Amino acid sequence: MNTLTTSFSTHHSYSHTPSTFHTTLTPIQSLSFRTPNHNFRLLCFSSDPSHSLPVVVVGSANADIYVEIDRLPLEGETLAAKSGETLAGGKGANQATCSAKLSRPTYFIGQVGDDAYGSLVTGALRSGGVRLDSLTVVPSVPTGHAVVMLQSNGQNSIIIIGGANSSGWPSSLARQHLDLVAQAGIVLLQREIPDYVNVQVAQAARNAGVPVVLDAGGMDGPLPPQLLNFVDILSPNETELARITGMPTESFEQIAQAALKCHELGVKQVLVKLGHKGSALFVEGEKPIQQPAILAKTVVDTTGAGDTFTAAFAVALVEGKSRKECLRFAAAAACLCVQVKGASPSMPDRNSVLDLLNRQ
């Protein structure tokens, strides 16, 4: 028998200057609806849209060291780069920045080192509007960083050094972090932090009735079954989908069969990113929803495009848009992302995405 209970949850709204954050507390009424297997929380009212249920991103933050080259070097070859610079990145930070720039209240739970890279990443997140109360500085390890080899056609090759993303996490997450997860409208995870962290977060979200989106990008190892049990939407690209399932993904029919394998593994929804071929959402028991790519006239840098897509989809979803609308919104955001160099710096704002959609 289902039970319906009424509760009041407290949410935090933050206004900030570049160096300070001010906290106010606003009660929001919500309904908790329990079934034998899940709890679902529905927002009943909020007097101010800025107090809407937030996106919570748990994941990685990197300093991306960019080198621009005409082509990748051959084995044993040395090439001169045309230019080089360091920009903020990391799948978690990218998704948090994207969500915040799309005008959704966004919190980031992650780790950086006490070093120059950590300061760079923290500054970029803060300037993007991300709320950083749950960002931890770990003095004993360096900030995660990556070497991004950017070719003239906009394609890239990336080497990641985990640093604070993979080391220094506690065996049990702090209660305030799990409480924040339980207060979210949706939670975004990726695989550039330890699996045991993702499992704790996903379980806390499931217990609170909060949907979880897992971006499959990051570690190459198999997905832990206990993590898949708590994930509502798995979001791989074609290569990641092939790795997860051990199946080919060269045609749409093959992708559909691989998505069916994910359903068998326990994931009800599979959001597949197909690059210039668009995207597709596979919901168990339903017809796939396909979305063509919105193609950019000029591709400057594809770094972060998948993160933009996943985060934009999640923002649209938590706002109550239809699945088709979510896919279209995400496609527009990704189109804008690839036209700007850098990962976090290329995340589009909400007005730009809506303007692009209005021109389609």
Side-chain angles (χ1 to χ4, degrees):
M1 179 178 180
N2 295 334
T3 61
L4 185 64
T5 61
T6 304
S7 63
F8 286 83
S9 57
T10 302
H11 288 269
H12 301 259
S13 64
Y14 292 82
S15 60
H16 64 86
T17 66
S19 60
T20 61
F21 286 78
H22 305 286
T23 306
T24 60
L25 301 179
T26 301
I28 297 178
Q29 188 181 32
S30 62
L31 296 177
S32 297
F33 181 76
R34 285 192 173 85
T35 69
N37 296 320
H38 305 295
N39 298 327
F40 298 94
R41 187 177 64 245
L42 301 175
L43 184 67
C44 292
F45 68 82
S46 173
S47 60
D48 186 333
S50 68
H51 297 146
S52 52
L53 291 173
V55 171
V56 173
V57 182
V58 184
S60 59
N62 282 337
D64 289 346
I65 305 165
Y66 270 80
V67 289
E68 291 193 51
I69 53 179
D70 290 321
R71 60 174 176 83
L72 294 175
L74 301 174
E75 184 176 349
E77 182 182 23
T78 299
L79 292 180
K82 294 186 290 185
S83 67
E85 61 181 316
T86 303
L87 302 169
K91 295 187 72 65
N94 293 344
Q95 292 180 12
T97 301
C98 180
S99 173
K101 292 185 72 174
L102 292 174
S103 302
R104 194 72 191 179
T106 304
Y107 296 83
F108 179 63
I109 300 174
Q111 298 191 156
V112 296
D114 185 13
D115 51 25
Y117 285 162
S119 297
L120 180 148
V121 172
T122 300
L125 285 164
R126 183 177 292 119
S127 65
V130 180
R131 300 166 185 189
L132 300 178
D133 302 72
S134 296
L135 179 66
T136 301
V137 177
V138 185
S140 58
V141 293
T143 299
H145 49 289
V147 178
V148 182
M149 292 170 282
L150 179 62
Q151 300 177 67
S152 55
N153 62 359
Q155 298 302 310
N156 59 63
S157 299
I158 304 173
I159 301 171
I160 294 177
I161 299 92
N165 296 317
S166 54
S167 302
W169 288 89
S171 57
S172 297
L173 289 186
R175 173 48 54 187
Q176 64 263 32
H177 292 169
L178 298 179
D179 287 345
L180 178 59
V181 166
Q183 295 287 321
I186 197 165
V187 170
L188 301 184
L189 302 174
Q190 323 80 38
R191 299 197 71 210
E192 290 182 345
I193 61 174
D195 281 331
Y196 72 86
V197 177
N198 281 335
V199 170
Q200 288 182 59
V201 171
Q203 184 171 13
R206 173 58 61 85
N207 291 343
V210 177
V212 175
V213 180
L214 173 63
D215 189 307
M219 289 182 288
D220 291 340
L223 284 163
Q226 65 268 38
L227 178 56
L228 289 177
N229 288 338
F230 301 130
V231 169
D232 297 278
I233 301 175
L234 177 65
S235 181
N237 60 27
E238 296 153 287
T239 302
E240 293 156 356
L241 181 62
R243 186 172 67 236
I244 291 166
T245 61
M247 300 172 67
T249 56
E250 296 177 4
S251 68
F252 186 80
E253 291 72 21
Q254 291 175 335
I255 290 168
Q257 289 301 310
L260 181 61
K261 177 66 174 179
C262 291
H263 295 329
E264 294 172 356
L265 293 173
V267 180
K268 302 298 183 183
Q269 300 184 59
V270 185
L271 175 61
V272 185
K273 295 162 287 196
L274 303 172
H276 69 278
K277 292 180 286 186
S279 60
L281 178 63
F282 299 87
V283 180
E284 189 173 33
E286 299 182 18
K287 182 179 178 181
I289 305 172
Q290 293 180 258
Q291 168 64 46
I294 299 176
L295 299 177
K297 291 182 180 179
T298 303
V299 176
V300 174
D301 181 10
T302 59
T303 309
D307 296 328
T308 302
F309 185 94
T310 303
F313 182 92
V315 167
L317 187 66
V318 79
E319 290 177 353
K321 293 182 172 64
S322 70
R323 290 163 176 161
K324 182 63 178 176
E325 289 173 320
C326 292
L327 288 169
R328 190 164 176 264
F329 187 77
C335 171
L336 293 170
C337 170
V338 301
Q339 299 179 57
V340 179
K341 181 181 176 182
S344 289
S346 67
M347 302 299 152
D349 61 43
R350 189 179 190 88
N351 287 338
S352 299
V353 174
L354 296 178
D355 287 345
L356 177 58
L357 287 173
N358 288 334
R359 297 197 304 268
Q360 296 302 302

